Each structure stands twice: as structure tokens, then as C-alpha cells.
Amino acid sequence: AGFLADPLVSQVLGLLSSDGEEARVIGGAVRNTLMGLPLADVDVATTAPPETVIARAEAAGLKVAPTGVEHGTVTVIGHRHVVEVTTLREDVETDGRRAVVRFGRDWQADAERRDFTINALSVDLDGRLHDPVGGLADIAARRVRFIGSAERRIAEDRLRALRFFRFHAAYGAGVPDAEGLSATIRARHDLAELSAE
């Protein structure tokens, strides 16, 4: 994949794929590469906790901004651009907008808490593609499908009802996924509780 040739991406993956830790490019960069679409930014997921990410990046001479460190996200700056690095997470509970999370080391659990199958693919330092929830078949079919129960995914974060239509418009083809569509219709009254933005 083209992003593995990026000097900052390959350096970050290398720094975080040793001494018992693993890092992969995840989400939109993988999805867009597989769909032949331009990349916006590259996100990295890792088993390493934020303090390890910060320590290893700084030791290698990279700058780090603790952009969302309480949620496990730091921004690594080098080679004239940035990469967001987020520690794997597991949901403990959610109020329908903000989840209580704890950091995890389980790639499958981290994938299962994401929104759509096409956003849960990841690529490791060796270029191996990991597809824990069937996103590759959905990319081939241009189908935007919630991971697991559509109803549960929307209950965890009501904004996902709107994201379903936005992602279908951008990446889907044909009729929207039936389970996702019926779950968004059932959840429509909850949208009034979201902020206007």
C-alpha cells in the first residue's frame, strides 16, 4: 500500500511494532486505498499505551502533541506532516454519545467497537491486510454495513445514524444496507438530542 512508503508512517509503525507492541494503519486510509480513492489522513492504531507512544516517538526525534491523550490519541509530527496514533480500546459503557473506554490489546475487540465494516480494516508494517469483520467483501460490494447489530451500534452513538447516510453517499452503491436503513429509521427520534453541528 502507498501509505507504507510514507516516511513518517513507516517510522511510526516501526517504532511501535517491537518489544511486545504492535501497530497498524487502520480505517479510512486502508478503505480509500482499497477503493482507489485519495487519502485524507493516515491513522495508526497500536497496542502501546499513550505514554509508550510518546516516549518512543520523542526518543526517535519526532514531535508529539497529546491531542486526545485521555482517549488514547496522540498526534506524531515529523517529515513535514502528522499521523494520529490511537491505543486500542474496549468500551465499558456508553450514554448514547460518549463511551467510557479502557485501553485494550485486543485487535478483534477494537474492530468490533467501530462503526462500519469498511472502516475496520488494518494493515501492518509487513503490508498484511487484517479484516476482522468482513469489510473486504463490503468494499467489493460497495456496501456500508454496521459491525454486528446496527441497532446496538446506533444506540452506542446516535450520530452513527447520520454517518450511515454520509458514508453510503461517499462509498456505497445501489440500495443502502437493509438492516442499517431500518435501524436508522427506528432511531430517527433520538437525533433531536444531538447538537445541531
Side-chain angles (χ1 to χ4, degrees):
F3 50 72
L4 292 177
D6 179 287
L8 180 60
V9 173
S10 61
Q11 185 177 7
V12 168
L13 289 180
L15 290 170
L16 299 173
S17 297
S18 60
D19 298 324
E21 304 298 354
E22 187 184 356
R24 302 176 189 169
V25 173
I26 199 158
V30 181
R31 176 198 67 224
N32 283 26
T33 298
L34 289 167
M35 295 183 114
L37 298 169
L39 308 192
D41 37 38
V42 178
D43 295 323
V44 169
T46 181
T47 55
E51 56 273 19
T52 304
V53 176
I54 293 167
R56 291 189 186 185
E58 287 180 342
L62 298 167
K63 284 198 177 68
V64 183
T67 38
V69 74
E70 67 283 357
H71 303 298
T73 302
V74 299
T75 301
V76 180
I77 304 149
H79 305 277
R80 294 193 299 284
H81 70 127
V82 303
V83 167
E84 269 204 351
V85 180
T86 301
T87 303
L88 299 187
R89 293 178 293 184
E90 294 171 13
D91 286 331
V92 181
E93 57 181 284
T94 175
D95 65 1
R97 187 63 196 98
R98 281 172 200 79
V100 177
V101 299
R102 62 167 166 247
F103 299 142
R105 301 187 60 83
D106 183 337
W107 289 95
Q108 184 75 31
D110 184 80
E112 287 172 358
R113 64 177 292 281
R114 293 173 183 267
D115 52 7
F116 307 116
T117 60
I118 61 171
N119 292 340
L121 294 139
S122 59
V123 171
D124 63 24
L125 184 60
D126 300 325
R128 275 188 304 257
L129 180 71
H130 300 265
D131 179 19
V133 291
L136 205 50
D138 287 333
I139 280 175
R142 296 190 70 95
R143 179 173 51 230
V144 177
R145 187 168 60 88
F146 284 100
I147 294 167
S149 156
E151 204 152 7
R152 191 171 312 133
R153 289 287 86 84
I154 293 169
E156 289 165 355
D157 181 352
R158 290 185 293 269
L159 196 56
R160 287 173 171 168
L162 299 178
R163 281 171 65 82
F164 175 73
F165 293 102
R166 184 161 68 84
F167 274 75
H168 180 73
Y171 306 108
V175 179
D177 176 67
E179 189 203 345
L181 184 60
S182 64
T184 56
I185 291 168
R186 286 194 301 276
R188 67 190 183 279
H189 302 298
D190 294 333
L191 294 175
E193 295 170 37
L194 294 172
S195 68
E197 292 85 9

Coordinates of all heavy atoms in Angstrom, one line a residue, residues 41-131:
D41 N -6.1 11.4 5.6 CA -5.0 11.3 6.5 C -4.8 9.9 6.9 O -5.6 9.0 6.6 CB -5.3 12.2 7.8 CG -6.7 12.2 8.2 OD1 -7.4 11.1 8.0 OD2 -7.2 13.2 8.6
V42 N -3.7 9.6 7.6 CA -3.4 8.2 7.9 C -3.5 8.1 9.4 O -2.8 8.8 10.2 CB -2.0 7.8 7.4 CG1 -1.6 6.4 7.9 CG2 -1.9 7.9 5.9
D43 N -4.3 7.1 9.9 CA -4.5 6.8 11.3 C -3.8 5.5 11.6 O -3.9 4.5 10.9 CB -6.0 6.7 11.7 CG -6.7 8.1 11.5 OD1 -6.1 9.1 11.8 OD2 -7.9 8.1 11.1
V44 N -3.1 5.5 12.8 CA -2.4 4.3 13.2 C -3.1 3.9 14.6 O -3.4 4.7 15.4 CB -0.9 4.6 13.4 CG1 -0.2 3.4 14.2 CG2 -0.3 4.8 12.1
A45 N -3.3 2.6 14.7 CA -3.8 2.0 15.9 C -2.7 1.2 16.5 O -1.9 0.6 15.8 CB -5.0 1.1 15.7
T46 N -2.6 1.1 17.8 CA -1.5 0.4 18.5 C -1.9 -0.2 19.8 O -2.8 0.3 20.5 CB -0.2 1.3 18.7 OG1 0.8 0.5 19.2 CG2 -0.6 2.5 19.6
T47 N -1.2 -1.3 20.2 CA -1.4 -1.9 21.5 C -0.7 -1.1 22.6 O -1.0 -1.2 23.7 CB -0.8 -3.3 21.5 OG1 0.6 -3.2 21.1 CG2 -1.5 -4.3 20.6
A48 N 0.3 -0.2 22.1 CA 1.1 0.6 23.1 C 0.2 1.6 23.7 O -0.5 2.4 23.1 CB 2.3 1.2 22.4
P49 N 0.3 1.8 25.1 CA -0.4 2.9 25.7 C 0.2 4.3 25.3 O 1.3 4.3 24.8 CB -0.2 2.6 27.2 CG 1.0 1.8 27.3 CD 1.1 1.0 26.0
P50 N -0.6 5.3 25.5 CA -0.1 6.7 25.0 C 1.3 7.1 25.5 O 2.1 7.6 24.8 CB -1.2 7.6 25.5 CG -2.4 6.8 25.7 CD -1.9 5.4 26.1
E51 N 1.6 6.7 26.8 CA 2.9 7.2 27.3 C 4.0 6.4 26.6 O 5.1 7.0 26.4 CB 3.0 7.0 28.9 CG 2.7 5.6 29.4 CD 1.2 5.3 29.6 OE1 0.3 6.0 29.1 OE2 0.9 4.3 30.4
T52 N 3.8 5.2 26.2 CA 4.8 4.5 25.4 C 5.0 5.1 24.0 O 6.1 5.2 23.5 CB 4.4 3.0 25.3 OG1 4.3 2.5 26.6 CG2 5.5 2.2 24.6
V53 N 3.8 5.4 23.4 CA 3.9 6.1 22.1 C 4.7 7.4 22.2 O 5.6 7.6 21.3 CB 2.4 6.4 21.6 CG1 2.5 7.1 20.2 CG2 1.6 5.1 21.4
I54 N 4.4 8.2 23.2 CA 5.1 9.5 23.3 C 6.6 9.2 23.6 O 7.4 9.9 22.9 CB 4.4 10.3 24.5 CG1 3.0 10.7 24.1 CG2 5.3 11.5 24.9 CD1 2.2 11.2 25.3
A55 N 6.9 8.3 24.5 CA 8.3 8.1 24.8 C 9.1 7.6 23.6 O 10.2 8.1 23.3 CB 8.4 7.1 25.9
R56 N 8.5 6.7 22.8 CA 9.3 6.1 21.7 C 9.4 7.1 20.6 O 10.4 7.2 19.9 CB 8.6 4.8 21.2 CG 8.7 3.7 22.1 CD 8.2 2.4 21.5 NE 8.2 1.3 22.5 CZ 7.8 0.0 22.2 NH1 7.5 -0.3 20.9 NH2 7.8 -0.9 23.1
A57 N 8.3 7.9 20.3 CA 8.4 8.9 19.2 C 9.4 10.0 19.6 O 10.2 10.4 18.7 CB 7.0 9.5 19.0
E58 N 9.4 10.5 20.8 CA 10.3 11.5 21.2 C 11.7 11.1 21.2 O 12.6 11.8 20.8 CB 9.9 12.1 22.6 CG 8.6 13.0 22.5 CD 8.2 13.6 23.8 OE1 8.6 13.1 24.9 OE2 7.3 14.5 23.8
A59 N 11.9 9.8 21.6 CA 13.3 9.2 21.6 C 13.8 9.2 20.2 O 15.1 9.2 20.0 CB 13.3 7.9 22.3
A60 N 12.9 9.1 19.2 CA 13.3 9.0 17.8 C 13.5 10.4 17.2 O 13.7 10.5 16.0 CB 12.3 8.1 17.0
G61 N 13.2 11.4 18.0 CA 13.4 12.8 17.5 C 12.1 13.3 16.8 O 12.2 14.4 16.2
L62 N 11.0 12.7 17.0 CA 9.7 13.2 16.5 C 9.0 14.0 17.5 O 9.2 13.8 18.7 CB 8.8 12.0 16.1 CG 9.4 11.1 15.0 CD1 8.5 9.8 14.9 CD2 9.4 11.8 13.6
K63 N 8.2 15.0 17.1 CA 7.4 15.8 18.0 C 6.1 15.1 18.3 O 5.6 14.4 17.4 CB 7.1 17.2 17.4 CG 8.3 18.1 17.4 CD 7.8 19.6 17.2 CE 8.8 20.6 17.3 NZ 9.8 20.5 16.2
V64 N 5.5 15.3 19.4 CA 4.3 14.7 19.8 C 3.4 15.7 20.4 O 3.8 16.5 21.3 CB 4.5 13.5 20.8 CG1 3.1 12.8 21.0 CG2 5.4 12.5 20.2
A65 N 2.1 15.8 20.0 CA 1.1 16.6 20.6 C 0.0 15.7 21.2 O -0.5 14.8 20.5 CB 0.4 17.5 19.5
P66 N -0.2 15.9 22.5 CA -1.2 15.0 23.2 C -2.6 15.4 22.9 O -3.4 15.8 23.8 CB -0.8 15.1 24.7 CG -0.3 16.5 24.8 CD 0.4 16.8 23.4
T67 N -3.1 15.3 21.6 CA -4.3 15.9 21.1 C -5.6 15.3 21.8 O -6.5 16.0 22.1 CB -4.5 15.7 19.6 OG1 -3.9 14.4 19.3 CG2 -3.7 16.7 18.9
G68 N -5.6 14.0 22.1 CA -6.7 13.4 22.8 C -6.2 12.3 23.7 O -6.8 11.2 23.7
V69 N -5.2 12.7 24.5 CA -4.5 11.6 25.2 C -5.4 10.9 26.2 O -5.2 9.7 26.4 CB -3.2 12.2 25.9 CG1 -3.6 13.1 27.1 CG2 -2.2 11.2 26.3
E70 N -6.4 11.5 26.7 CA -7.3 10.8 27.7 C -8.1 9.7 26.9 O -8.6 8.8 27.6 CB -8.2 11.8 28.4 CG -9.2 12.5 27.6 CD -8.7 13.7 26.7 OE1 -7.5 14.0 26.8 OE2 -9.5 14.3 26.0
H71 N -8.3 9.9 25.6 CA -9.0 8.9 24.8 C -7.9 8.0 24.1 O -8.3 7.1 23.3 CB -9.9 9.5 23.8 CG -10.9 10.4 24.4 ND1 -11.9 10.0 25.2 CD2 -11.1 11.7 24.2 CE1 -12.6 11.0 25.6 NE2 -12.1 12.1 25.0
G72 N -6.7 8.2 24.4 CA -5.6 7.3 23.9 C -5.1 7.8 22.6 O -4.4 7.0 21.9
T73 N -5.3 9.0 22.2 CA -4.9 9.5 20.9 C -3.8 10.6 21.0 O -4.0 11.6 21.8 CB -6.0 10.1 20.1 OG1 -7.0 9.1 19.9 CG2 -5.6 10.6 18.7
V74 N -2.7 10.4 20.3 CA -1.7 11.5 20.3 C -1.3 11.7 18.8 O -1.5 10.8 18.0 CB -0.4 11.1 21.0 CG1 -0.7 10.8 22.5 CG2 0.3 9.8 20.4
T75 N -0.9 12.9 18.5 CA -0.5 13.2 17.1 C 1.0 13.3 17.0 O 1.7 14.0 17.8 CB -1.1 14.6 16.7 OG1 -2.5 14.5 16.8 CG2 -0.8 14.9 15.3
V76 N 1.6 12.5 16.1 CA 3.0 12.4 15.9 C 3.4 13.3 14.7 O 2.7 13.2 13.7 CB 3.5 11.0 15.8 CG1 5.0 11.0 15.6 CG2 3.1 10.1 17.0
I77 N 4.3 14.2 14.9 CA 4.7 15.1 13.9 C 6.1 14.9 13.4 O 7.0 14.9 14.2 CB 4.5 16.6 14.4 CG1 3.1 16.8 15.0 CG2 4.8 17.6 13.4 CD1 3.0 17.7 16.2
G78 N 6.3 14.8 12.1 CA 7.6 14.6 11.6 C 7.6 14.6 10.0 O 6.5 14.3 9.5
H79 N 8.7 14.7 9.4 CA 8.7 14.6 7.9 C 7.7 15.6 7.3 O 7.0 15.2 6.3 CB 8.5 13.2 7.4 CG 9.5 12.2 8.0 ND1 10.8 12.0 7.5 CD2 9.4 11.4 9.1 CE1 11.4 11.1 8.3 NE2 10.6 10.7 9.2
R80 N 7.5 16.7 7.9 CA 6.6 17.8 7.4 C 5.1 17.4 7.4 O 4.3 18.0 6.7 CB 7.0 18.3 6.1 CG 8.4 19.0 6.1 CD 8.7 19.8 4.9 NE 8.8 18.9 3.7 CZ 9.8 18.2 3.4 NH1 10.8 18.1 4.2 NH2 9.8 17.5 2.3
H81 N 4.7 16.4 8.1 CA 3.2 16.1 8.3 C 3.0 15.3 9.6 O 3.8 15.2 10.4 CB 2.6 15.5 7.0 CG 3.0 14.1 6.7 ND1 2.1 13.1 6.5 CD2 4.2 13.5 6.7 CE1 2.7 12.0 6.3 NE2 4.0 12.2 6.4
V82 N 1.7 14.9 9.7 CA 1.3 14.3 11.0 C 0.6 13.0 10.8 O 0.0 12.7 9.8 CB 0.3 15.3 11.8 CG1 1.0 16.6 12.0 CG2 -1.0 15.4 11.1
V83 N 0.7 12.2 11.9 CA 0.0 10.9 11.9 C -0.7 10.8 13.3 O 0.0 11.1 14.3 CB 0.9 9.7 11.7 CG1 0.3 8.4 12.1 CG2 1.4 9.6 10.3
E84 N -2.0 10.5 13.3 CA -2.7 10.2 14.6 C -2.5 8.8 15.0 O -2.7 7.9 14.2 CB -4.2 10.6 14.4 CG -4.5 12.0 14.7 CD -5.9 12.2 15.2 OE1 -6.8 11.3 15.1 OE2 -6.2 13.3 15.6
V85 N -2.1 8.6 16.3 CA -1.9 7.3 16.8 C -2.8 7.1 18.0 O -2.8 7.9 18.9 CB -0.4 7.1 17.3 CG1 -0.2 5.7 17.8 CG2 0.6 7.4 16.1
T86 N -3.6 6.0 17.9 CA -4.6 5.8 19.0 C -4.4 4.4 19.5 O -4.2 3.4 18.8 CB -6.0 5.9 18.5 OG1 -6.2 7.2 18.0 CG2 -7.1 5.7 19.6
T87 N -4.4 4.3 20.9 CA -4.3 3.0 21.5 C -5.6 2.2 21.4 O -6.6 2.8 21.4 CB -4.0 3.2 23.0 OG1 -2.8 4.0 23.1 CG2 -3.8 1.9 23.8
L88 N -5.5 0.9 21.2 CA -6.6 0.1 21.1 C -7.6 0.3 22.3 O -7.1 0.5 23.4 CB -6.3 -1.4 21.0 CG -5.4 -1.9 19.8 CD1 -5.3 -3.4 19.9 CD2 -6.0 -1.4 18.5
R89 N -8.9 0.2 22.0 CA -9.8 0.5 23.1 C -10.9 -0.6 23.2 O -11.2 -1.2 22.2 CB -10.5 1.9 22.9 CG -9.5 3.0 23.1 CD -10.1 4.3 22.8 NE -10.4 4.5 21.4 CZ -10.9 5.6 20.9 NH1 -11.1 6.7 21.6 NH2 -11.2 5.7 19.6
E90 N -11.5 -0.7 24.4 CA -12.7 -1.5 24.6 C -13.7 -0.6 25.3 O -13.4 0.1 26.2 CB -12.3 -2.7 25.5 CG -11.3 -3.7 24.8 CD -10.8 -4.7 25.8 OE1 -11.4 -4.9 26.9 OE2 -9.9 -5.4 25.5
D91 N -14.9 -0.7 24.8 CA -16.0 0.1 25.5 C -16.4 -0.6 26.8 O -16.6 -1.8 26.9 CB -17.2 0.2 24.6 CG -17.0 1.1 23.5 OD1 -16.2 2.1 23.6 OD2 -17.6 1.0 22.4
V92 N -16.5 0.2 27.8 CA -17.0 -0.3 29.1 C -18.5 0.1 29.2 O -19.3 -0.8 29.6 CB -16.2 0.4 30.3 CG1 -16.7 -0.2 31.6 CG2 -14.8 0.1 30.1
E93 N -18.9 1.3 28.9 CA -20.3 1.7 28.8 C -20.5 2.9 27.9 O -19.5 3.5 27.6 CB -20.8 2.0 30.3 CG -20.0 3.1 31.0 CD -20.5 3.3 32.4 OE1 -21.5 4.0 32.5 OE2 -19.8 2.9 33.3
T94 N -21.7 3.2 27.6 CA -21.9 4.4 26.7 C -23.3 5.0 27.1 O -24.2 4.3 27.5 CB -21.9 4.0 25.2 OG1 -22.2 5.2 24.5 CG2 -22.9 2.9 24.9
D95 N -23.4 6.3 26.9 CA -24.6 7.0 27.2 C -25.3 7.4 25.9 O -26.2 8.2 25.9 CB -24.4 8.3 28.0 CG -23.5 9.3 27.3 OD1 -23.2 9.1 26.1 OD2 -23.2 10.4 27.9
G96 N -24.9 6.8 24.8 CA -25.5 7.2 23.5 C -24.8 8.2 22.7 O -25.1 8.5 21.6
R97 N -23.7 8.8 23.3 CA -22.9 9.7 22.6 C -21.4 9.5 23.0 O -20.6 9.5 22.1 CB -23.3 11.2 22.8 CG -22.6 12.2 21.9 CD -22.9 11.9 20.4 NE -21.9 12.6 19.6 CZ -20.8 12.1 19.0 NH1 -20.5 10.8 19.2 NH2 -20.0 12.8 18.3
R98 N -21.2 9.5 24.3 CA -19.8 9.3 24.7 C -19.6 8.0 25.4 O -20.3 7.8 26.4 CB -19.4 10.5 25.6 CG -19.1 11.7 24.9 CD -18.9 13.0 25.7 NE -19.1 14.2 25.0 CZ -20.2 14.7 24.6 NH1 -21.3 14.1 25.0 NH2 -20.3 15.8 23.9
A99 N -18.6 7.2 25.0 CA -18.4 5.9 25.6 C -17.3 6.1 26.7 O -16.4 6.9 26.6 CB -17.9 4.9 24.6
V100 N -17.5 5.3 27.8 CA -16.4 5.1 28.7 C -15.6 4.0 28.2 O -16.1 2.9 27.9 CB -17.0 4.7 30.1 CG1 -15.9 4.5 31.1 CG2 -17.9 5.8 30.6
V101 N -14.3 4.2 28.0 CA -13.4 3.2 27.4 C -12.3 2.9 28.3 O -11.9 3.7 29.1 CB -12.9 3.7 26.0 CG1 -14.0 3.9 25.0 CG2 -12.0 4.9 26.1
R102 N -11.7 1.7 28.1 CA -10.4 1.4 28.7 C -9.5 1.0 27.6 O -10.0 0.5 26.5 CB -10.6 0.4 29.8 CG -11.0 -1.0 29.3 CD -10.9 -2.1 30.3 NE -11.7 -3.2 29.9 CZ -12.7 -3.7 30.5 NH1 -13.2 -3.1 31.6 NH2 -13.4 -4.7 30.0
F103 N -8.2 1.2 27.7 CA -7.3 0.8 26.7 C -7.2 -0.7 26.7 O -7.4 -1.4 27.7 CB -5.9 1.4 27.0 CG -5.9 2.9 27.0 CD1 -5.2 3.6 27.9 CD2 -6.7 3.6 26.1 CE1 -5.2 5.0 27.8 CE2 -6.8 5.0 26.0 CZ -6.0 5.7 26.9
G104 N -7.0 -1.3 25.5 CA -7.0 -2.8 25.4 C -5.8 -3.2 24.5 O -5.1 -2.4 24.0
R105 N -5.7 -4.5 24.3 CA -4.7 -5.0 23.5 C -5.2 -6.0 22.4 O -4.5 -6.7 21.8 CB -3.6 -5.8 24.3 CG -3.0 -4.9 25.4 CD -1.8 -5.6 26.1 NE -0.8 -6.0 25.2 CZ 0.2 -5.3 24.7 NH1 0.3 -4.0 25.1 NH2 1.1 -5.7 23.9
D106 N -6.6 -6.0 22.3 CA -7.3 -7.0 21.5 C -7.7 -6.4 20.2 O -8.7 -5.5 20.2 CB -8.5 -7.5 22.3 CG -9.2 -8.6 21.6 OD1 -9.2 -8.7 20.4 OD2 -9.9 -9.4 22.3
W107 N -7.1 -6.7 19.1 CA -7.5 -6.1 17.8 C -8.9 -6.4 17.4 O -9.6 -5.6 16.9 CB -6.5 -6.6 16.7 CG -5.1 -6.0 16.9 CD1 -4.1 -6.6 17.5 CD2 -4.6 -4.8 16.5 NE1 -3.0 -5.8 17.5 CE2 -3.3 -4.7 16.8 CE3 -5.2 -3.7 15.7 CZ2 -2.5 -3.5 16.5 CZ3 -4.5 -2.6 15.4 CH2 -3.1 -2.5 15.8
Q108 N -9.3 -7.6 17.7 CA -10.7 -8.0 17.4 C -11.7 -7.1 18.1 O -12.7 -6.6 17.6 CB -11.0 -9.5 17.7 CG -12.3 -10.0 17.2 CD -12.5 -10.2 15.7 OE1 -11.5 -10.5 15.0 NE2 -13.7 -10.0 15.2
A109 N -11.5 -7.0 19.4 CA -12.4 -6.2 20.3 C -12.4 -4.7 19.8 O -13.5 -4.1 19.8 CB -12.0 -6.3 21.7
D110 N -11.2 -4.2 19.4 CA -11.2 -2.8 18.9 C -11.9 -2.7 17.6 O -12.6 -1.7 17.4 CB -9.7 -2.4 18.8 CG -9.5 -1.0 18.3 OD1 -9.6 -0.1 19.2 OD2 -9.4 -0.7 17.1
A111 N -11.8 -3.7 16.8 CA -12.5 -3.6 15.5 C -14.0 -3.6 15.7 O -14.8 -2.9 15.1 CB -12.1 -4.8 14.6
E112 N -14.5 -4.5 16.6 CA -15.9 -4.7 16.8 C -16.6 -3.5 17.5 O -17.8 -3.4 17.4 CB -16.2 -5.9 17.7 CG -15.9 -7.2 16.9 CD -15.9 -8.5 17.8 OE1 -16.1 -8.4 19.0 OE2 -15.7 -9.6 17.2
R113 N -15.9 -2.5 18.0 CA -16.5 -1.3 18.6 C -16.5 -0.2 17.6 O -17.1 0.9 17.9 CB -15.7 -0.9 19.9 CG -14.3 -0.4 19.7 CD -13.7 0.0 20.9 NE -14.3 1.3 21.4 CZ -14.0 2.5 20.9 NH1 -13.2 2.6 19.9 NH2 -14.6 3.5 21.4
R114 N -16.0 -0.4 16.4 CA -16.1 0.6 15.4 C -17.4 0.6 14.7 O -18.3 -0.2 15.0 CB -14.9 0.4 14.4 CG -13.5 0.6 15.0 CD -12.4 0.3 14.1 NE -11.1 0.5 14.9 CZ -10.4 1.6 14.9 NH1 -10.8 2.6 14.1 NH2 -9.3 1.7 15.6
D115 N -17.6 1.6 13.8 CA -19.0 1.8 13.2 C -19.3 0.8 12.1 O -20.2 0.0 12.1 CB -19.2 3.2 12.8 CG -18.1 3.8 12.0 OD1 -17.2 3.1 11.5 OD2 -18.2 5.1 11.7
F116 N -18.5 0.9 11.0 CA -18.9 0.2 9.7 C -17.7 -0.8 9.4 O -16.6 -0.5 9.6 CB -19.1 1.2 8.6 CG -20.1 2.2 8.9 CD1 -19.7 3.6 8.9 CD2 -21.4 1.9 9.1 CE1 -20.7 4.5 9.2 CE2 -22.4 2.9 9.4 CZ -22.0 4.2 9.4
T117 N -18.1 -1.9 8.8 CA -17.1 -2.9 8.4 C -16.0 -2.3 7.5 O -14.8 -2.7 7.7 CB -17.7 -4.1 7.7 OG1 -18.3 -3.6 6.5 CG2 -18.8 -4.8 8.5
I118 N -16.3 -1.4 6.6 CA -15.3 -0.9 5.7 C -14.3 0.0 6.4 O -13.3 0.4 5.9 CB -16.0 -0.1 4.5 CG1 -16.8 1.1 5.0 CG2 -16.8 -1.0 3.7 CD1 -17.3 2.0 3.9
N119 N -14.6 0.4 7.7 CA -13.7 1.3 8.5 C -12.8 0.5 9.4 O -12.1 1.1 10.2 CB -14.5 2.3 9.2 CG -15.1 3.3 8.3 OD1 -14.7 3.5 7.2 ND2 -16.2 4.0 8.8
A120 N -13.0 -0.9 9.4 CA -12.3 -1.6 10.5 C -11.1 -2.5 9.9 O -10.5 -3.3 10.6 CB -13.3 -2.6 11.2
L121 N -10.8 -2.3 8.7 CA -9.6 -3.0 8.1 C -8.3 -2.3 8.5 O -8.3 -1.1 8.7 CB -9.7 -2.9 6.5 CG -10.9 -3.7 5.9 CD1 -11.5 -2.9 4.8 CD2 -10.5 -5.0 5.4
S122 N -7.3 -3.1 8.6 CA -6.0 -2.6 9.0 C -4.9 -3.3 8.3 O -5.0 -4.4 7.8 CB -5.8 -2.7 10.6 OG -5.8 -4.1 11.0
V123 N -3.7 -2.6 8.2 CA -2.5 -3.1 7.5 C -1.3 -2.9 8.4 O -1.1 -1.8 9.0 CB -2.3 -2.3 6.2 CG1 -1.0 -2.7 5.5 CG2 -3.5 -2.6 5.2
D124 N -0.6 -4.0 8.6 CA 0.6 -4.0 9.5 C 1.8 -3.5 8.7 O 1.8 -3.3 7.5 CB 0.8 -5.3 10.3 CG 1.1 -6.5 9.3 OD1 1.6 -6.3 8.2 OD2 0.8 -7.6 9.8
L125 N 3.0 -3.5 9.4 CA 4.2 -3.0 8.9 C 4.7 -3.8 7.7 O 5.3 -3.3 6.8 CB 5.3 -3.1 10.0 CG 6.7 -2.5 9.7 CD1 6.6 -1.0 9.4 CD2 7.6 -2.7 11.0
D126 N 4.3 -5.1 7.7 CA 4.7 -6.0 6.6 C 3.8 -5.9 5.4 O 3.9 -6.7 4.4 CB 4.8 -7.5 7.1 CG 5.8 -7.6 8.2 OD1 6.9 -6.9 8.1 OD2 5.6 -8.4 9.1
G127 N 2.7 -5.1 5.5 CA 1.8 -5.0 4.4 C 0.7 -6.0 4.4 O -0.1 -6.1 3.5
R128 N 0.6 -6.7 5.5 CA -0.5 -7.7 5.6 C -1.8 -7.0 5.9 O -1.9 -6.2 6.8 CB -0.2 -8.8 6.7 CG 0.6 -9.9 6.3 CD 0.7 -11.0 7.4 NE 1.2 -10.4 8.6 CZ 2.4 -10.5 9.1 NH1 3.3 -11.3 8.5 NH2 2.7 -10.0 10.2
L129 N -2.9 -7.4 5.2 CA -4.2 -6.8 5.5 C -5.0 -7.7 6.5 O -5.0 -8.9 6.4 CB -5.0 -6.8 4.2 CG -6.4 -6.2 4.2 CD1 -6.4 -4.7 4.4 CD2 -7.2 -6.6 2.9
H130 N -5.5 -7.0 7.5 CA -6.3 -7.7 8.5 C -7.8 -7.2 8.4 O -8.1 -6.1 8.4 CB -5.8 -7.3 9.9 CG -4.4 -7.7 10.1 ND1 -4.0 -8.9 10.7 CD2 -3.2 -7.1 9.8 CE1 -2.7 -9.0 10.7 NE2 -2.2 -7.9 10.2
D131 N -8.7 -8.2 8.3 CA -10.1 -7.9 8.0 C -11.0 -8.7 9.1 O -11.5 -9.7 8.7 CB -10.5 -8.4 6.6 CG -11.9 -8.1 6.3 OD1 -12.6 -7.3 7.0 OD2 -12.4 -8.8 5.3

